Amino acid sequence: MSMSPRRAGPVAALALAAGLAACGGGGVQAPSDAGVCYHLAAAQGGSPRFNVLARGVPDMEHCAARLEAMRIHFLSLGGSNQAITGAYQGNYLFLGDDGVFTSQTYGGPRYPFLVRNGDQLVPVGSAP
């Protein structure tokens, strides 16, 4: 029996979360390579896998923009996963319909990084 595409996204996200939680204490550390933007995906068996999305990325804002472009592209192809996770220089980036949140750990507190203003992402605290 195969799983419908609508259910595959949430199941993969749960498997990834379980895999990260099972790694003990602080969980899996985000890669800290300078200038490399990663997408966090669940490999077979639900273990976390950081895939290089782009190299030579100057800052976290540009990494978030690359991840957002990837998220929108997958949604335009009919994907149903509204939220994705990435990493940049040791920080996690959590992207969804509400904007981009960041944390130093996967399960730790998430802080607003970029918020939505219409259909654009803008830095937190910037004037409209």
Side-chain angles (χ1 to χ4, degrees):
M1 177 181 345
S2 66
M3 186 176 303
S4 74
R6 288 188 176 258
R7 300 192 88 201
V11 170
L14 286 173
L16 177 61
L20 287 169
C23 293
V28 175
Q29 286 285 26
S32 58
D33 303 330
V36 182
C37 182
Y38 293 92
H39 171 244
L40 179 59
Q44 291 215 334
S47 61
R49 178 176 171 179
F50 291 95
N51 297 316
V52 174
L53 180 60
R55 295 184 189 279
V57 179
D59 51 42
M60 202 156 57
E61 288 90 349
H62 284 87
C63 180
R66 293 281 185 113
L67 288 162
E68 177 69 1
M70 184 183 88
R71 185 180 87 87
I72 298 296
H73 179 73
F74 285 147
L75 289 172
S76 73
L77 294 174
S80 61
N81 196 2
Q82 296 290 325
I84 65 170
T85 302
Y88 183 77
Q89 294 186 185
N91 293 294
Y92 282 97
L93 294 166
F94 303 94
L95 288 84
D97 288 337
D98 294 333
V100 181
F101 292 79
T102 185
S103 179
Q104 291 184 346
T105 61
Y106 185 82
R110 298 177 183 183
Y111 301 98
F113 179 62
L114 297 170
V115 294
R116 295 213 179 270
N117 183 7
D119 61 352
Q120 297 180 338
L121 288 171
V122 296
V124 172
S126 66

